[in-house]
Amino acid sequence: MALLRATSIQRKLTLVIMLVTTLALLVAAAQFVINDVRDYRRRVVDDLAILTRILGQNVTPTLEFDDPKVAEQILASFQAKPHILAAAVYARDGKLFARYNPPDRPGAEVPATAPAEERRFSRGRVFLCFPILKGPDRLGSIYLDFDLVEVWLRVGKNCVIIAAMLAISALVALFAATRLQRFITRPILDLANLANAVSEKHDYSVRAAKHTEDEIGFLIDCFNGMLGQMEKHEKILREVNQQLARSEQRAQAATEAKSQFLANMSHELRTPLNAIIGYSEMVEEELEEQGHRQLVPDLQKIHAAAKHQLGLINDILDLSKIEAGKMTLFLEVFDLAATVHEVVNTIQPLVSKNGNHLELDCPANLGMIRSDQTKVRQVLFNLLSNAAKFTEKGTIRLHVSRAPRTQDQNLGAGSQNPGAGAAGNGEHQPGLTDDLLRADGQIVFTVTDTGIGMSPGQLGRLFQAFTQAEAATTRKYGGTGLGLAISKKFCQTMGGDLTATSELGKGSVFTVTLPANTTEPFRGARGGMLTVPTALTAETRASGSAILVIDDEPAARDLVQRALTKQGYQVETAASGPEGLARARQLLPAAITLDVMMAGMDGWAVLSALKADPATADIPVIMLTVVDDKNLGFALGAADFLIKPIDWDRLTSVLEKLRRKRVSPQVLIIEDEPETRELLRRAVEKQGWQVVEAENGRVGLERVAAQVPGLILLDLLMPEMDGFAFMEELRRRPNGGHVPVIVVTAKDLTDEDRRRLNGHVIQILQKGGHSTQELVDEIYRLLASATDLAKDI
Amino acid sequence: MSKILLVEDNEMNRDMLSRRLERKGYSISLALDGAEGLLKARTEAPDLILMDMSLPVMDGWETTRRLKADDATRKIPVIALTAHAMATDEQKAREAGCDDFDTKPIELPRLLGKIEALLQPNAGT
């Protein structure tokens, strides 16, 4: 059935025509045959009846004269007619008088007495019986048994002929059908093909050709009509899309214009106020000086009003920005505790003004967080100043803590869940790196006051813009009514939230939660997909010996190890300074990566020790720190380190190695201590090199810009621009990237020095040190150049 | 008496700041735009420069860069004064070479503190 459904209409139509034709032919044939047979039979029987009657008359005398023998002779003339099975004459009394059976065949039995005078059809035979009459007298009857086989033979013959005729007719019909069906199907097929083409090419401009005025023609008209509609719709759609694009452009332009307006207004609105604030301050100062104290309060009122207005403008502009979706986050890594203390110090006068007492509960090891420092300050300031304003002779308590990440945090915009985080499972030695950036967790600030509190109704309206507790509140307490709305929006933008509880007359509690690591979606490769400049690895890998990784942070150790192993290096690790030193002496590795921020014996101390020991002094050391295994690291891109007091032999050997490399004959010495600089200059010049000097990083950069030296001797701790900043900047310049830098640093670092060094590292991290990707690239590069340098001796 | 060069195009700001600083004992020299600031820095060798960032002719950043690139004026400390308080502004100022940074509206005590810090002779490395 499915097959039938799937055949082409051409075939179907042909099939239908054939079916109908054949059916018609069959019916006609059947009727003809039936009619013919009936006709024939009647004739045969009629002929037979006449024959029988004639013979009946012929046997009349035999009956009169009772001569059966002659009757039989006469009956014998039935021989001439084939298919007569039996014949008989019966006398008047019904008794059998004479009989006949065909001579060459069995024939049939005749009835013993005369049967009824009738024509009877039975068993494929016809039985005739007629009376024999002479005038009015009935002398007897004559009986005949005839086989109608003849008729059936004729039927058979007819059927064969008919079948043959049918076949021929069918063939002719098929031929005609196949040809003629095209008139019907061709337009339909054409339409179908056209529809297919339109559907595939989406070209609505085509039209079907109409050849007939029948239903197909009508269908074609409708189809063309539809195409026309689609064409029209498509045009409209195109136009609408164009309009939308234009509208979007206009909307975009409008938004930009609005932002521009905001920015301009911001400046325009503040400028006159600055003048009012400034001059009123100034006049106040002048008056105080000249002793006209009585005018001062009036000026202070002007001053206060202007400041208030400035606050309003700032708040309104902030809110507009937030609402325009234009509030951007400036994310940086900063010391949370320091910021908290800053705000507390700033708010202290306001707190004291109402006789309040501020308690600060802020642990010292809060560490660094990555967030928008300005906004965090603003929110804290807002909450504390509210607390101070609405509390009199009471207590305000600020509690800051770090908490592990909760599910809710993932819902905020701008917060990232780096999954594995600091990969620490099992042992986790706390170190400075640990504090620096914990990938998970959130910060919670709680500001509690014993002030006037709020009713449930007031609490409900709390974060709405321009709704202070009630109208009277603004008059009594001042403020703009925008602060909390803005603070809450800030918190939410940073991926956290601001909530409040309160009891009327007893006090209020405001709670801020912020993610500790607010980040943009991570754009670089995720951990594990570390690519490497392949050109560098072949050589260094071929050196065969191991790289020693010294780091007290398991996660960092793991990261560096994995990265190096992946590229075919053999890696050994050490988890502390002393262990690192021991292994270094043991292994004499091809290079050492050394964590700057280690607890106990820190990186600088290890470095000093390594360089002081002749056995390990020549091993290239890469100072780095990996802060978070996804985000930040820092590498001090030094080719080598010299520890003060300088081992001149070492310096000489380094210079020798470089000379062979045919670098520029100039050495740039960047050192702020004139005496040290002088010493270095003499030592270097003695080896036949040219010397250029710089007393700090900035000057050093200028020198490099003027002419790229073959080597840089760099002191780390300098004013203005120190060694770290210099390195960062140098590597960024196209011609500075390949100059070998030898870092000169003191052997015995004071705590102050250490703090400064580590502070510099943090500073660089704060500015956004290398991502993991960049860090690993840097390690390879340093390894390559360091081992390269070490090779030729 | 320390000499401060104030580079500020806005008349009122200039007026306010110069008078208040003079009252605090500083000798004030004025420049109305970046180019003039550069010139006066070279010719008058002030002890400190207060540089408004948005100036005509040559803006504050470019002026600072040039000051720091010129040996004659390199050592003069520069405090950037800006109306904006974004962290990017601070970074931009420092990148141009500014030694410190303050936001408007000026809070005199705060600014004085910064000026004093930079005017003290360098306490060594």
Side-chain angles (χ1 to χ4, degrees), chain A residues 480-535:
Chain A
T480 59
L482 282 175
L484 283 174
I486 292 174
S487 294
K488 189 170 170 95
K489 282 267 156 65
F490 277 175
C491 292
Q492 287 170 339
T493 312
M494 290 190 279
D497 202 4
L498 167 60
T499 54
T501 58
S502 180
E503 213 183 312
L504 194 60
K506 294 264 179 68
S508 316
V509 181
F510 284 80
T511 311
V512 175
T513 49
L514 291 174
N517 185 13
T518 317
T519 55
E520 269 108 34
F522 191 71
R523 262 173 266 113
R526 291 228 160 234
M529 308 291 287
L530 300 166
T531 58
V532 101
T534 47

Side-chain angles (χ1 to χ4, degrees), chain B residues 25-38:
Chain B
Y26 293 98
S27 148
I28 307 293
S29 170
L30 298 171
L32 275 65
D33 59 58
E36 194 183 344
L38 209 54

Side-chain angles (χ1 to χ4, degrees), chain A residues 319 323 461-468 481-482 485:
Chain A
L319 211 57
E323 256 147 42
R461 288 194 303 272
L462 190 61
F463 295 106
Q464 287 172 20
F466 295 114
T467 329
Q468 274 187 323
L482 282 175

Side-chain angles (χ1 to χ4, degrees), chain A residues 224-438:
Chain A
N224 287 339
M226 282 195 325
L227 281 176
Q229 293 272 12
M230 283 168 86
E231 213 181 353
K232 201 160 33 132
H233 288 163
E234 202 188 38
K235 195 150 85 94
I236 292 175
L237 199 65
R238 250 203 306 269
E239 277 173 14
V240 168
N241 280 347
Q242 278 173 355
Q243 275 178 5
L244 279 175
R246 277 197 294 269
S247 296
E248 194 177 332
Q249 275 176 356
R250 264 182 275 136
Q252 189 75 346
T255 310
E256 278 170 22
K258 190 162 138 180
S259 302
Q260 193 59 33
F261 174 75
L262 279 176
N264 290 345
M265 281 322 284
S266 158
H267 183 71
E268 293 304 318
L269 287 172
R270 287 196 188 107
T271 308
L273 279 177
N274 287 338
I276 298 174
I277 292 170
Y279 277 110
S280 60
E281 273 178 6
M282 214 167 63
V283 176
E284 196 184 317
E285 284 164 19
E286 280 168 358
L287 285 175
E288 289 236 9
E289 237 172 66
Q290 292 168 29
H292 297 298
R293 289 269 157 98
Q294 66 275 30
L295 294 172
V296 168
D298 287 343
L299 277 165
Q300 283 179 333
K301 288 191 188 108
I302 296 176
H303 184 84
K307 282 210 116 142
H308 182 82
Q309 179 146 14
L310 191 64
L312 277 169
I313 291 174
N314 286 338
D315 284 351
I316 291 173
L317 286 169
D318 269 346
L319 211 57
S320 307
K321 253 193 279 183
I322 293 175
E323 256 147 42
K326 282 271 162 184
M327 184 56 74
T328 52
L329 294 176
F330 184 76
L331 298 172
E332 47 183 349
V333 175
F334 59 93
D335 187 329
L336 182 59
T339 310
V340 170
H341 282 105
E342 252 179 65
V343 177
V344 165
N345 286 340
T346 319
I347 202 77
Q348 197 58 55
L350 200 59
V351 169
S352 313
K353 197 159 84 154
N354 278 354
N356 294 312
H357 170 62
L358 176 62
E359 269 175 33
L360 175 61
D361 181 3
C362 176
N365 66 344
L366 267 181
M368 318 287 272
I369 67 166
R370 188 183 177 103
S371 193
D372 184 325
Q373 191 180 24
T374 314
K375 294 195 174 57
V376 170
R377 262 201 223 111
Q378 206 166 329
V379 171
L380 272 179
F381 191 88
N382 177 233
L383 293 178
L384 287 171
S385 77
N386 281 348
K389 256 197 321 213
F390 293 101
T391 310
E392 230 169 282
K393 295 202 183 56
T395 311
I396 301 168
R397 209 165 151 265
L398 169 61
H399 175 86
V400 188
S401 62
R402 201 150 184 155
R405 177 179 287 277
T406 61
Q407 280 297 83
D408 303 329
Q409 213 174 337
N410 297 336
L411 299 171
S415 102
Q416 186 197 14
N417 185 356
N425 25 8
E427 1 83 70
H428 186 68
Q429 291 169 334
L432 199 54
T433 37
D434 205 30
D435 283 350
L436 279 170
L437 255 184
R438 274 172 246 162

Side-chain angles (χ1 to χ4, degrees), chain A residues 154-180:
Chain A
R154 181 168 164 115
V155 170
K157 203 163 46 140
N158 273 352
C159 283
V160 169
I161 295 174
I162 299 261
M165 276 170 50
L166 259 168
I168 294 171
S169 309
L171 276 169
V172 172
L174 182 67
F175 181 75
T178 315
R179 283 297 156 94
L180 295 174

